[in-house]
Amino acid sequence: MPAPDRSNFESLYAGQAPWDIGKPQPALVAAAERITGSVLDAGCGTGENALYFAGLGRKVTGFDYVEEAIRRARQKAAERGLLASFLVLDALALGEVPEVFDSAIDCGLFHVFDDDARRKYVAGLASVLRTGGRLFLLCFSDEEPGTQGPRRISRQELAEAFAVGWQVESIEPTRFEIRAEVADLEFGPGGPKAWFAVVRRTENPQAPRSNG
Ligand SMILES: C[S@@+](CC[C@H](N)C(=O)[O-])C[C@H]1O[C@@H](n2cnc3c(N)ncnc32)[C@H](O)[C@@H]1O
């Protein structure tokens, strides 16, 4: 199945997207104490995760390449009196972002990409996360049966994607919470199976090494 493109996401945001549950994903809430400092939310959608961390006092920047999603995220921030930056940006252009963050979250973006785009995305993430910073990533799991929804990801693929310049600290099974009517129709009780990976940025493989 081809990877979804921007127009697929624009159509989904014209209605109510299955993942747009009006609150942060429970797996990220459970890890909140570890998601510290300045936080980048990659593929933030309408901003529920970003705004949750903004509410905890983190300095948050969320980006998405769908303008309507970012419009809604900004509107929610204003309505809730929360401070967060929301940008329209393609994740494959992350290498052009000059800022460096302490933490990054990816809730449902990594599993969107085909293999080539995935490599480019991970390289971009490496350029915007400080050495020692952590990425918290929630993606569809290969333990979820069927083909409905995004591409399934295995532990092995996660390990391979972050093999150089990163240390995979943990990969735990969890679930995505999605809108109830979609979950009942297309996935098992509890929502689709997911992996929650914590990956630490170790070094820039392109940086010159010191001999001393
Ligand atoms: C499954 S949704 C998750 C949205 C949000 N993280 C959430 O949990 O509600 C994936 C998001 O990634 C965005 N996206 C997909 N490809 C992207 C890209 N190349 N650059 C930026 N955003 C992208 C989509 O527009 C969509 O909002």
Side-chain angles (χ1 to χ4, degrees), residues 13 19-20 23-25 28-29 35-55 58-66 69-70 73-74 76 80 83-92 94 97 99-110 113 121 125 128-129 134-138 176 196:
Y13 281 119
W19 56 82
D20 204 7
K23 60 177 186 171
Q25 278 291 331
L28 288 171
V29 173
I35 303 175
T36 51
S38 55
V39 179
L40 178 69
D41 184 354
C44 65
T46 69
E48 287 299 339
N49 298 311
L51 291 170
Y52 171 70
F53 287 102
R58 313 288 195 271
K59 181 175 179 287
V60 180
T61 300
F63 75 85
D64 202 285
Y65 70 175
V66 174
I70 293 300
R74 287 177 180 152
K76 285 185 201 176
R80 298 176 195 179
L83 207 59
S85 299
F86 289 105
L87 313 171
V88 177
L89 180 76
D90 189 329
L92 301 184
L94 262 183
V97 172
E99 201 173 339
V100 172
F101 296 85
D102 297 313
S103 305
I105 59 177
D106 172 329
C107 183
L109 177 57
F110 180 87
F113 298 122
Y121 171 56
L125 276 178
V128 294
L129 199 55
R134 286 182 175 80
L135 167 68
F136 298 83
L137 185 155
L138 197 59
F176 267 107
F196 184 60

